Amino acid sequence: MRVFTNARLATMDPALPGLGVVEHGMVAEQAGRIVYAGPVRALPADEVVDCAGRWITPGLIDCHTHLIYAGNRAAEFEARLDGASYEEIARQGGGILGTMSATRAASPAALEAAARHRLAPLLAEGVTTVEVKSGYGLAPEAEYKCLTVARALGDVADISPTFLGAHSVPPDMPRADYLRLVCEEMIPHVARHGLADAVDAFCETIAFSPEEIAQVFAAAAAHGLRVKLHADQLSNLHGAALAGRFNALSADHLEYTDEDGVRAMAQSGTVAVLLPGAFFTLRETRLPPIEALRRHGVRMAVSTDLNPGTSPLFSLLLAMNMAATQFRLTITECLLGVTRHAAAALGRADVGVLRQGAKCHLAIWDIEHPAELVYRMGFNPLYQRIWSVS
Ligand code: DI6
Ligand code: FE
C-alpha cells in the first residue's frame, strides 16, 4: 500500500458538498485503486508520500477531444481572420474535409506520433483520462485506423475512444450511401471489435440532420453503444432534445439550445459538455443556456474540444478559465466539470473522484486554493501526476 498523506483533498465525492474538501487528508492506493480517501489516519503503508500540505484532486478528465488527425489548418485560421466564416470554409471543401484527406493519407505511426505530441501538454497539466474521437477518416478503414491509434495511447493515459463516423459527409459518396455505411457497416464493426466506447455525431446544417442522426443513434443502441452528440453549436436544430430522447451520455456545445432541449437533457440525465475554446475561436457571441442548465439540475462538464479547426486548444486549465470568464461558471462548477461530471459524460464511475474503489489517478498541485486552477492563464501549478495503469 502506498499513501499520499499530509494533503488537502478535493475529493469531488457526491456525498460531500461542493468540491468534497478534506483539509487534513490522505489517499491510499493498492494495485492501482484507491483503497482509502479521507482524513489522515494510521494505515499499514509500504510507501509514504508526504504531500507537505499540497492539494490533491482526481486526475483531470478531458471528455471531448479530436486528438487524432493529420494536416495543418493554420491557413484556414488566417482566412477566418480575413473574414471567411467557418461554414463558408466548410462548404468550399476546407475545414473538416481538408483534415480528412490528410488523415486518410497518414500512416498509423505518423498519426500516433502526432497524437502523442498533442497529448503531452494535457498530461503535463494532470490530465489522466482523455476521450478521443475519430471522425476525420470518414471511410471504414480510415475510421478504424484512427480508433486503433486512440487505443494505442492507453500506455500513457486512460483513453475513452468514441466513434464519430457521422462527423461530415465525405465528398466521394452520396450522403444516403455514407449514412447507410455508418449505420450498417461501421457501427457493427466498431462494436464487434471493441474499437470505441461510444458513438458521437455532428448535428448541424453543414453536417447531419436530426432525422439522419436518429438513424445513427438507433444503430448504436442496437449494438450496445451509448451515444453523445455535437448539438446546437452553430444553430438550433434541437440536438439537445434529440440527445435526451436517445438517453445520450452527453450533449456537447449547446450555444443555441433552448429550454425544451435543457428539459429533455435533465430528464435523461444527459451531461452538458461546454466547450469554451470553440466558442472563443469562432468568436461566438451566443452563450450556452447556463442558467437553465443550473435550474434544471443538468450536470455540466468542461472540455477542450481539441481539434484542428474550431478549437486548437491544448490546455484543460485554460478551458476552465474560459468557462469561468466567458460562461460565468463558478470555480466549483469548473472543477466538477473536469472531474466527476466529465466522468459522467463518458459513462464512467471509476474516475473523476477520490473514493474507495476508483482508479488511483491523482493530480497533486502546488496551490493554496482550488480557485488557482481556474484563474491563471498559461500557468501550470501541477506538482505531480499519478496515473495508475489497471
Ligand atoms: N464541432 C467542432 O467544433 C469540431 N467538430 C465538430 O463537430 C470541428 C471540427 C473541425 O473543424 O475540424
Ligand atoms: Fe468536437
Side-chain angles (χ1 to χ4, degrees), residues 96-249:
I96 293 176
L97 297 182
T99 303
M100 177 202 78
S101 309
T103 303
R104 284 184 179 179
S107 70
L111 283 172
E112 185 176 327
R116 285 188 189 278
H117 196 195
R118 292 176 198 128
L119 192 53
L122 292 177
L123 305 187
E125 288 185 341
V127 172
T128 51
T129 301
V130 187
E131 188 257 15
V132 178
K133 301 175 194 297
S134 66
Y136 289 119
L138 305 179
E141 291 313 319
E143 285 289 302
Y144 309 153
K145 170 177 73 176
C146 293
L147 291 171
T148 304
V149 168
R151 281 261 191 245
L153 306 174
D155 62 338
V156 291
D158 199 331
I159 303 290
S160 277
T162 298
F163 172 60
L164 177 55
H167 196 192
S168 188
V169 178
D172 47 7
M173 197 182 275
R175 60 188 299 127
D177 292 1
Y178 183 66
L179 196 65
R180 205 171 315 114
L181 194 61
V182 167
C183 295
E184 294 176 13
E185 183 178 323
M186 296 163 84
I187 287 175
H189 179 98
V190 165
R192 195 163 51 242
H193 296 277
L195 295 183
D197 297 342
V199 169
D200 193 354
F202 189 16
C203 185
E204 198 54 66
T205 51
I206 53 170
F208 294 91
S209 70
E211 294 71 28
E212 290 168 330
I213 285 165
Q215 296 174 41
V216 174
F217 282 2
H223 289 87
L225 289 167
R226 298 292 302 271
V227 299
K228 312 167 74 68
L229 188 63
H230 283 72
D232 311 331
Q233 178 188 8
L234 308 170
S235 61
N236 185 8
L237 295 187
H238 307 286
L242 176 71
R245 213 155 53 244
F246 279 89
N247 253 317
L249 289 167

Side-chain angles (χ1 to χ4, degrees), residues 11-29:
T11 62
M12 314 296 167
D13 188 335
L16 300 172
L19 300 176
V21 170
V22 177
E23 280 292 338
H24 302 284
M26 74 191 295
V27 177
E29 175 258 343

Side-chain angles (χ1 to χ4, degrees), residues 189-311:
H189 179 98
V190 165
R192 195 163 51 242
H193 296 277
L195 295 183
D197 297 342
V199 169
D200 193 354
F202 189 16
C203 185
E204 198 54 66
T205 51
I206 53 170
F208 294 91
S209 70
E211 294 71 28
E212 290 168 330
I213 285 165
Q215 296 174 41
V216 174
F217 282 2
H223 289 87
L225 289 167
R226 298 292 302 271
V227 299
K228 312 167 74 68
L229 188 63
H230 283 72
D232 311 331
Q233 178 188 8
L234 308 170
S235 61
N236 185 8
L237 295 187
H238 307 286
L242 176 71
R245 213 155 53 244
F246 279 89
N247 253 317
L249 289 167
S250 71
D252 305 34
H253 288 289
L254 304 176
E255 278 82 347
Y256 288 83
T257 298
D258 58 24
E259 183 116 8
D260 283 346
V262 172
R263 208 173 285 119
M265 290 174 66
Q267 270 162 17
S268 55
T270 299
V271 176
V273 177
L274 304 174
L275 303 167
F279 176 94
F280 175 81
T281 302
L282 296 177
R283 274 177 272 146
E284 180 59 69
T285 52
R286 168 116 172 190
L287 289 162
I290 305 297
E291 230 2 272
L293 292 166
R294 284 188 186 123
R295 206 163 0 92
H296 289 276
V298 174
R299 292 167 295 177
M300 292 183 277
V302 174
S303 169
T304 59
D305 193 16
L306 190 167
N307 78 63
T310 58
S311 192

